[in-house]
Amino acid sequence: MKLTKLPRFERGLMKLTKLPRFKRGLVNSLVKDYLKQALALAELRRGFCAPNPCVGAVVVKDEKLVASGYHWASGFPHAEVNALNKMDAQLAKGATLYVTLQPCCHTAKKTPPCSQLLIEKGIAEVVYGFRDPNPAVAEESDKQLQQAGILCRHYTVPEIDRFYTSYRFWWQHKRPYVTAKLAISLDGKIAGEHGQRIQLTGEAAQQFTHQQRQRADAILTTAKTVYRDNPWLNVRIEGRTIVKPLIILDSTLSLAGTENIFSNAKNITIFHEADLPVKTLTKYNRDQVRLIAVKRAGQGLDLFGVLKRLGQEGYHDIWVEAGGHCLQALVQSQLLQCAFIYVAPKWLGQDAQTAFSNSDVFCGAQASPPRRLGSDVCFKFNWAGE
């Protein structure tokens, strides 16, 4: 039996428990499909919406998708608003909204609550894939909508749960979810003698890196990496170049300010130790560079303090491209949630630079099955239990 031939009350999501099992399966399949379409829209702007989460939405009327939208960036209309503004007012009445994240119900700094617009437009049902970890939304959104006669349903989709891993982590810990990548040779080396830069990985691994850079809110590196490799640290995909916010750990402000990154980042934040000479501080006087002093911890800067500050500024996802020392320090401080280790089919020899100073860096991490990236192999390690 086609869904369009079901009686209207049976099509209502709130009546699913009254449907025969095979009909519930058809309806559930359709609900999941609409939510996955909304997720595909949210994915388009991942890495560009912080401090807001990325959200996608589709509007359905009589089993037909009539409008869609997604959140472009902070300060722009939310996904629900973007979708509803594309529709005729009469078409919205009685429609169902499928959205990846529970609609907001509070007045943010830049945008009004979506719940009020849904009420005004006459939306009949709201189905969302992820309950907002923000207490101001989680405890009130459904209540407001239901009081206005709008049916609400939280429908779990594993892909959407994974998509909001970093948003949930940010709310739980008030700091960003940190992912690092490192390329090593078969004998566990990352560079040649005296740190000489060697291109280890092939095109497939490099493209994977650019995809991950694009999904991150900001890229973090160290002064040592910038000095040795002079990278661009931008996103280069399908002929497009995208610049991202860049975070640099530079205790003594040793960089000259002429490296590639200084002409190639959306903006740059440099964390350094306190009490540096004024002359050192003034050499970075330019609009896109910001200096933040943090205390030292052991052999370097206080990484917890760095990430706490980034969390306060609304960064959900940080992508780290630095050496083995930085990755190891993050692990030892219990501040790394995920790592991608690329293993290239090369042998650099005993005089090359070793990735890690000890071999237990990945103890306690959950390892995923390796994946091929061209001629390289990528191992994923997870410390967050996701």
Side-chain angles (χ1 to χ4, degrees), residues 8 39 52-53 78 97 115 122 141 152-153 199 209 250 258 262 280 287 327 338 366 386:
R8 182 175 181 82
L39 176 61
N52 294 347
H78 288 185
L97 174 78
S115 58
S141 179
C152 291
R153 178 178 173 82
Q199 182 64 53
T209 295
D250 188 2
T258 58
F262 287 96
T280 303
D287 291 340
L327 188 152
C338 182
Q366 296 178 2
E386 299 294 345

PDB file of all heavy atoms in Angstrom, residues 8 39 52-53 78 97 115 122 141 152-153 199 209 250 258 262 280 287 327 338 366 386:
ATOM      1  N   ARG A   8      -5.441   9.959   6.582  1.00  0.00           N
ATOM      2  CA  ARG A   8      -4.617  11.051   7.089  1.00  0.00           C
ATOM      3  C   ARG A   8      -4.177  10.804   8.531  1.00  0.00           C
ATOM      4  O   ARG A   8      -3.026  11.067   8.897  1.00  0.00           O
ATOM      5  CB  ARG A   8      -5.383  12.381   6.999  1.00  0.00           C
ATOM      6  CG  ARG A   8      -4.545  13.575   7.464  1.00  0.00           C
ATOM      7  CD  ARG A   8      -5.285  14.891   7.246  1.00  0.00           C
ATOM      8  NE  ARG A   8      -4.472  15.998   7.671  1.00  0.00           N
ATOM      9  CZ  ARG A   8      -3.521  16.555   6.942  1.00  0.00           C
ATOM     10  NH1 ARG A   8      -3.263  16.079   5.748  1.00  0.00           N
ATOM     11  NH2 ARG A   8      -2.817  17.568   7.390  1.00  0.00           N
ATOM     12  N   LEU A  39      19.969  16.400   6.669  1.00  0.00           N
ATOM     13  CA  LEU A  39      21.368  16.272   7.076  1.00  0.00           C
ATOM     14  C   LEU A  39      22.314  16.629   5.934  1.00  0.00           C
ATOM     15  O   LEU A  39      23.345  17.281   6.148  1.00  0.00           O
ATOM     16  CB  LEU A  39      21.633  14.840   7.550  1.00  0.00           C
ATOM     17  CG  LEU A  39      23.076  14.507   7.922  1.00  0.00           C
ATOM     18  CD1 LEU A  39      23.555  15.377   9.064  1.00  0.00           C
ATOM     19  CD2 LEU A  39      23.202  13.026   8.291  1.00  0.00           C
ATOM     20  N   ASN A  52      27.340  28.808  16.137  1.00  0.00           N
ATOM     21  CA  ASN A  52      26.079  28.087  15.985  1.00  0.00           C
ATOM     22  C   ASN A  52      26.331  26.685  15.444  1.00  0.00           C
ATOM     23  O   ASN A  52      27.328  26.446  14.754  1.00  0.00           O
ATOM     24  CB  ASN A  52      25.145  28.820  15.009  1.00  0.00           C
ATOM     25  CG  ASN A  52      24.698  30.165  15.539  1.00  0.00           C
ATOM     26  OD1 ASN A  52      24.877  30.474  16.712  1.00  0.00           O
ATOM     27  ND2 ASN A  52      24.128  30.972  14.672  1.00  0.00           N
ATOM     28  N   PRO A  53      25.430  25.743  15.691  1.00  0.00           N
ATOM     29  CA  PRO A  53      25.527  24.439  15.045  1.00  0.00           C
ATOM     30  C   PRO A  53      25.049  24.520  13.609  1.00  0.00           C
ATOM     31  O   PRO A  53      24.285  25.422  13.240  1.00  0.00           O
ATOM     32  CB  PRO A  53      24.584  23.562  15.895  1.00  0.00           C
ATOM     33  CG  PRO A  53      23.567  24.527  16.417  1.00  0.00           C
ATOM     34  CD  PRO A  53      24.310  25.822  16.654  1.00  0.00           C
ATOM     35  N   HIS A  78      18.192  30.946  10.459  1.00  0.00           N
ATOM     36  CA  HIS A  78      18.341  29.526  10.749  1.00  0.00           C
ATOM     37  C   HIS A  78      17.718  28.696   9.631  1.00  0.00           C
ATOM     38  O   HIS A  78      16.992  29.206   8.785  1.00  0.00           O
ATOM     39  CB  HIS A  78      17.702  29.204  12.087  1.00  0.00           C
ATOM     40  CG  HIS A  78      18.478  29.738  13.251  1.00  0.00           C
ATOM     41  ND1 HIS A  78      18.136  29.486  14.565  1.00  0.00           N
ATOM     42  CD2 HIS A  78      19.588  30.532  13.313  1.00  0.00           C
ATOM     43  CE1 HIS A  78      18.992  30.083  15.368  1.00  0.00           C
ATOM     44  NE2 HIS A  78      19.873  30.724  14.636  1.00  0.00           N
ATOM     45  N   LEU A  97       7.608  19.821   9.193  1.00  0.00           N
ATOM     46  CA  LEU A  97       8.993  20.259   9.109  1.00  0.00           C
ATOM     47  C   LEU A  97       9.898  19.148   9.631  1.00  0.00           C
ATOM     48  O   LEU A  97       9.709  18.652  10.748  1.00  0.00           O
ATOM     49  CB  LEU A  97       9.211  21.516   9.942  1.00  0.00           C
ATOM     50  CG  LEU A  97      10.665  21.990  10.060  1.00  0.00           C
ATOM     51  CD1 LEU A  97      11.092  22.711   8.796  1.00  0.00           C
ATOM     52  CD2 LEU A  97      10.870  22.882  11.277  1.00  0.00           C
ATOM     53  N   SER A 115      10.845  28.672  16.927  1.00  0.00           N
ATOM     54  CA  SER A 115       9.571  28.109  17.371  1.00  0.00           C
ATOM     55  C   SER A 115       8.415  29.069  17.106  1.00  0.00           C
ATOM     56  O   SER A 115       7.323  28.650  16.696  1.00  0.00           O
ATOM     57  CB  SER A 115       9.637  27.756  18.856  1.00  0.00           C
ATOM     58  OG  SER A 115       9.957  28.910  19.631  1.00  0.00           O
ATOM     59  N   GLY A 122       1.805  28.172  10.892  1.00  0.00           N
ATOM     60  CA  GLY A 122       0.795  27.112  10.905  1.00  0.00           C
ATOM     61  C   GLY A 122       1.332  25.734  10.617  1.00  0.00           C
ATOM     62  O   GLY A 122       0.591  24.860  10.148  1.00  0.00           O
ATOM     63  N   SER A 141      11.511  23.845  23.983  1.00  0.00           N
ATOM     64  CA  SER A 141      11.082  23.903  22.589  1.00  0.00           C
ATOM     65  C   SER A 141       9.820  23.071  22.338  1.00  0.00           C
ATOM     66  O   SER A 141       8.815  23.584  21.825  1.00  0.00           O
ATOM     67  CB  SER A 141      12.211  23.423  21.677  1.00  0.00           C
ATOM     68  OG  SER A 141      11.808  23.442  20.322  1.00  0.00           O
ATOM     69  N   CYS A 152       5.129  17.212  17.971  1.00  0.00           N
ATOM     70  CA  CYS A 152       6.593  17.172  17.977  1.00  0.00           C
ATOM     71  C   CYS A 152       7.068  15.735  18.147  1.00  0.00           C
ATOM     72  O   CYS A 152       6.480  14.966  18.921  1.00  0.00           O
ATOM     73  CB  CYS A 152       7.155  18.005  19.120  1.00  0.00           C
ATOM     74  SG  CYS A 152       6.912  19.769  18.943  1.00  0.00           S
ATOM     75  N   ARG A 153       8.135  15.402  17.429  1.00  0.00           N
ATOM     76  CA  ARG A 153       8.696  14.052  17.559  1.00  0.00           C
ATOM     77  C   ARG A 153      10.208  14.114  17.401  1.00  0.00           C
ATOM     78  O   ARG A 153      10.732  14.720  16.466  1.00  0.00           O
ATOM     79  CB  ARG A 153       8.108  13.117  16.511  1.00  0.00           C
ATOM     80  CG  ARG A 153       8.669  11.699  16.550  1.00  0.00           C
ATOM     81  CD  ARG A 153       7.991  10.836  15.503  1.00  0.00           C
ATOM     82  NE  ARG A 153       8.586   9.534  15.370  1.00  0.00           N
ATOM     83  CZ  ARG A 153       8.351   8.476  16.155  1.00  0.00           C
ATOM     84  NH1 ARG A 153       7.512   8.603  17.159  1.00  0.00           N
ATOM     85  NH2 ARG A 153       8.937   7.319  15.936  1.00  0.00           N
ATOM     86  N   GLN A 199      57.664  14.795   1.769  1.00  0.00           N
ATOM     87  CA  GLN A 199      56.273  14.517   1.421  1.00  0.00           C
ATOM     88  C   GLN A 199      56.030  13.029   1.518  1.00  0.00           C
ATOM     89  O   GLN A 199      56.513  12.252   0.694  1.00  0.00           O
ATOM     90  CB  GLN A 199      55.959  15.024   0.013  1.00  0.00           C
ATOM     91  CG  GLN A 199      54.518  14.814  -0.408  1.00  0.00           C
ATOM     92  CD  GLN A 199      53.545  15.594   0.460  1.00  0.00           C
ATOM     93  OE1 GLN A 199      53.674  16.803   0.633  1.00  0.00           O
ATOM     94  NE2 GLN A 199      52.570  14.900   1.024  1.00  0.00           N
ATOM     95  N   THR A 209      42.683  15.187   3.860  1.00  0.00           N
ATOM     96  CA  THR A 209      43.074  16.253   4.793  1.00  0.00           C
ATOM     97  C   THR A 209      42.342  17.546   4.486  1.00  0.00           C
ATOM     98  O   THR A 209      41.836  18.225   5.390  1.00  0.00           O
ATOM     99  CB  THR A 209      44.596  16.479   4.732  1.00  0.00           C
ATOM    100  OG1 THR A 209      45.264  15.311   5.199  1.00  0.00           O
ATOM    101  CG2 THR A 209      45.004  17.674   5.591  1.00  0.00           C
ATOM    102  N   ASP A 250      52.710  29.477  19.846  1.00  0.00           N
ATOM    103  CA  ASP A 250      54.039  30.057  19.652  1.00  0.00           C
ATOM    104  C   ASP A 250      54.450  30.741  20.950  1.00  0.00           C
ATOM    105  O   ASP A 250      54.208  31.939  21.146  1.00  0.00           O
ATOM    106  CB  ASP A 250      54.024  31.049  18.483  1.00  0.00           C
ATOM    107  CG  ASP A 250      55.417  31.541  18.108  1.00  0.00           C
ATOM    108  OD1 ASP A 250      56.397  31.087  18.727  1.00  0.00           O
ATOM    109  OD2 ASP A 250      55.508  32.387  17.200  1.00  0.00           O
ATOM    110  N   THR A 258      56.123  36.720   8.150  1.00  0.00           N
ATOM    111  CA  THR A 258      56.173  36.738   6.683  1.00  0.00           C
ATOM    112  C   THR A 258      55.876  35.355   6.084  1.00  0.00           C
ATOM    113  O   THR A 258      55.887  35.200   4.859  1.00  0.00           O
ATOM    114  CB  THR A 258      57.568  37.187   6.207  1.00  0.00           C
ATOM    115  OG1 THR A 258      58.560  36.302   6.752  1.00  0.00           O
ATOM    116  CG2 THR A 258      57.852  38.614   6.655  1.00  0.00           C
ATOM    117  N   PHE A 262      50.424  33.921   7.003  1.00  0.00           N
ATOM    118  CA  PHE A 262      50.039  35.292   7.334  1.00  0.00           C
ATOM    119  C   PHE A 262      49.369  36.014   6.168  1.00  0.00           C
ATOM    120  O   PHE A 262      48.796  37.093   6.342  1.00  0.00           O
ATOM    121  CB  PHE A 262      51.265  36.076   7.820  1.00  0.00           C
ATOM    122  CG  PHE A 262      51.705  35.683   9.202  1.00  0.00           C
ATOM    123  CD1 PHE A 262      52.714  34.756   9.378  1.00  0.00           C
ATOM    124  CD2 PHE A 262      51.086  36.218  10.319  1.00  0.00           C
ATOM    125  CE1 PHE A 262      53.114  34.370  10.652  1.00  0.00           C
ATOM    126  CE2 PHE A 262      51.480  35.840  11.597  1.00  0.00           C
ATOM    127  CZ  PHE A 262      52.495  34.912  11.762  1.00  0.00           C
ATOM    128  N   THR A 280      58.481  42.607  20.851  1.00  0.00           N
ATOM    129  CA  THR A 280      58.093  41.323  20.261  1.00  0.00           C
ATOM    130  C   THR A 280      56.608  41.301  19.939  1.00  0.00           C
ATOM    131  O   THR A 280      56.178  40.784  18.904  1.00  0.00           O
ATOM    132  CB  THR A 280      58.434  40.178  21.229  1.00  0.00           C
ATOM    133  OG1 THR A 280      59.824  40.215  21.526  1.00  0.00           O
ATOM    134  CG2 THR A 280      58.074  38.831  20.625  1.00  0.00           C
ATOM    135  N   ASP A 287      45.535  43.679  11.133  1.00  0.00           N
ATOM    136  CA  ASP A 287      44.117  43.458  11.444  1.00  0.00           C
ATOM    137  C   ASP A 287      43.757  42.004  11.694  1.00  0.00           C
ATOM    138  O   ASP A 287      42.942  41.701  12.560  1.00  0.00           O
ATOM    139  CB  ASP A 287      43.238  44.012  10.308  1.00  0.00           C
ATOM    140  CG  ASP A 287      43.286  45.527  10.243  1.00  0.00           C
ATOM    141  OD1 ASP A 287      43.653  46.147  11.261  1.00  0.00           O
ATOM    142  OD2 ASP A 287      42.967  46.072   9.178  1.00  0.00           O
ATOM    143  N   LEU A 327      50.796  16.302  19.203  1.00  0.00           N
ATOM    144  CA  LEU A 327      49.767  15.265  19.320  1.00  0.00           C
ATOM    145  C   LEU A 327      49.935  14.500  20.633  1.00  0.00           C
ATOM    146  O   LEU A 327      48.966  14.243  21.352  1.00  0.00           O
ATOM    147  CB  LEU A 327      49.857  14.320  18.123  1.00  0.00           C
ATOM    148  CG  LEU A 327      48.739  13.282  17.971  1.00  0.00           C
ATOM    149  CD1 LEU A 327      48.560  12.913  16.501  1.00  0.00           C
ATOM    150  CD2 LEU A 327      49.021  12.019  18.774  1.00  0.00           C
ATOM    151  N   CYS A 338      40.174  12.624  18.880  1.00  0.00           N
ATOM    152  CA  CYS A 338      40.269  11.785  17.687  1.00  0.00           C
ATOM    153  C   CYS A 338      41.580  12.064  16.959  1.00  0.00           C
ATOM    154  O   CYS A 338      42.067  13.196  16.977  1.00  0.00           O
ATOM    155  CB  CYS A 338      39.066  12.066  16.773  1.00  0.00           C
ATOM    156  SG  CYS A 338      39.004  11.080  15.271  1.00  0.00           S
ATOM    157  N   GLN A 366      40.217   3.920  21.183  1.00  0.00           N
ATOM    158  CA  GLN A 366      39.493   2.939  20.386  1.00  0.00           C
ATOM    159  C   GLN A 366      39.956   3.071  18.934  1.00  0.00           C
ATOM    160  O   GLN A 366      39.953   4.170  18.385  1.00  0.00           O
ATOM    161  CB  GLN A 366      37.994   3.181  20.472  1.00  0.00           C
ATOM    162  CG  GLN A 366      37.405   2.994  21.862  1.00  0.00           C
ATOM    163  CD  GLN A 366      35.926   3.281  21.914  1.00  0.00           C
ATOM    164  OE1 GLN A 366      35.302   3.583  20.899  1.00  0.00           O
ATOM    165  NE2 GLN A 366      35.343   3.187  23.091  1.00  0.00           N
ATOM    166  N   GLU A 386      33.126   7.811  21.104  1.00  0.00           N
ATOM    167  CA  GLU A 386      32.057   8.022  20.095  1.00  0.00           C
ATOM    168  C   GLU A 386      32.134   6.928  19.033  1.00  0.00           C
ATOM    169  O   GLU A 386      33.205   6.487  18.674  1.00  0.00           O
ATOM    170  CB  GLU A 386      32.216   9.403  19.443  1.00  0.00           C
ATOM    171  CG  GLU A 386      32.118  10.559  20.424  1.00  0.00           C
ATOM    172  CD  GLU A 386      30.749  10.705  21.032  1.00  0.00           C
ATOM    173  OE1 GLU A 386      29.793  10.114  20.514  1.00  0.00           O
ATOM    174  OE2 GLU A 386      30.627  11.411  22.038  1.00  0.00           O
TER     175      GLU A 386
END
